[in-house]
Amino acid sequence: TADSGSGGGGAGGKRPTLTSTAPDEVVESELVLERKSDGTMLVKAATLARLIERVTHEEYADPNLVTQFLLTYRSFTTPDALLDLLMARFTAPPPAHIDREADMAAYEAWRKQKQVPVRLRVVNFLRSWIGKTWIDFDGNDELQERVERFLADTVALSNKALAANLLKTLRAKRGASA
């Protein structure tokens, strides 16, 4: 039985958070975390959208989770669906309660604390995906082109150097596998 509790809970603490009867387990809407003995949180179960949120979280960099995700995601989704979710995560708008026109300070705080770090995590995830599991891209020209367009048309608008660097990596991998 789960009792209401306090805790992290997603974007600005708005998601309901429940603490189970096990003191080392936290259950959030669509995400189950277990506290390990070293204090870190282990993802036990999650929806695909919540997994993408977790591997690109603005506060919790977890390279091990990214690696584990990249090794296993094909058992529950496709590369195209993964890219769709990463692009949606990168381009996510601010929460409805933040009106850029009415409250520029709140918008800037959201941008600095959430949008910029999430965007960096998405690009770093893409870098890991391209670098560690090229097999997903090898022979999949459509996926390669979608990533290239995303980097050139969307990522470059917010960070031209980062986009250029990853485009260079993508093109080098593409050339090496041709």
Side-chain angles (χ1 to χ4, degrees), residues 52-73:
I52 296 303
E53 185 178 300
R54 192 70 182 185
V55 297
T56 61
H57 199 279
E58 68 275 11
E59 293 179 26
Y60 313 110
D62 190 345
N64 290 329
L65 180 59
V66 170
T67 299
Q68 292 166 358
F69 181 90
L70 288 170
L71 291 172
T72 60
Y73 84 90

Side-chain angles (χ1 to χ4, degrees), residues 4-8 17-19 26:
S4 291
S6 62
T17 302
L18 303 173
T19 304
V26 175

Side-chain angles (χ1 to χ4, degrees), residues 33-178:
L33 301 170
E34 181 179 341
R35 188 174 314 279
K36 294 173 27 181
S37 60
D38 64 1
T40 59
M41 299 302 281
L42 175 71
V43 175
K44 285 184 69 176
T47 62
L48 179 56
R50 289 302 302 265
L51 278 171
I52 296 303
E53 185 178 300
R54 192 70 182 185
V55 297
T56 61
H57 199 279
E58 68 275 11
E59 293 179 26
Y60 313 110
D62 190 345
N64 290 329
L65 180 59
V66 170
T67 299
Q68 292 166 358
F69 181 90
L70 288 170
L71 291 172
T72 60
Y73 84 90
R74 285 165 225 77
S75 66
F76 52 86
T77 193
T78 65
D80 286 310
L82 173 57
L83 182 58
D84 288 341
L85 287 166
L86 290 168
M87 292 187 309
R89 180 84 166 132
F90 188 91
T91 59
H97 71 276
I98 297 179
D99 183 352
R100 184 177 184 175
E101 307 292 323
D103 191 352
M104 186 55 102
Y107 174 79
E108 281 301 314
W110 169 81
R111 195 183 68 72
K112 288 178 184 173
Q113 295 169 8
K114 178 96 172 181
Q115 184 183 50
V116 169
V118 164
R119 285 181 170 187
L120 288 172
R121 293 269 166 42
V122 168
V123 171
N124 285 334
F125 184 95
L126 283 169
R127 178 178 287 114
S128 293
W129 189 17
I130 292 165
K132 294 178 180 178
T133 55
W134 179 250
I135 193 165
D136 294 341
F137 299 89
D138 195 19
N140 190 339
D141 293 339
E142 183 181 333
L143 184 64
Q144 291 178 36
E145 289 166 10
R146 287 184 66 212
V147 171
E148 191 167 349
R149 278 192 313 271
F150 174 64
L151 291 169
D153 298 345
T154 305
V155 175
L157 295 176
S158 63
N159 193 324
K160 198 169 197 162
L162 201 57
N165 184 287
L166 195 48
L167 277 166
K168 182 179 175 182
T169 301
L170 178 65
R171 289 173 180 152
K173 286 279 200 177
R174 181 184 278 173
S177 68

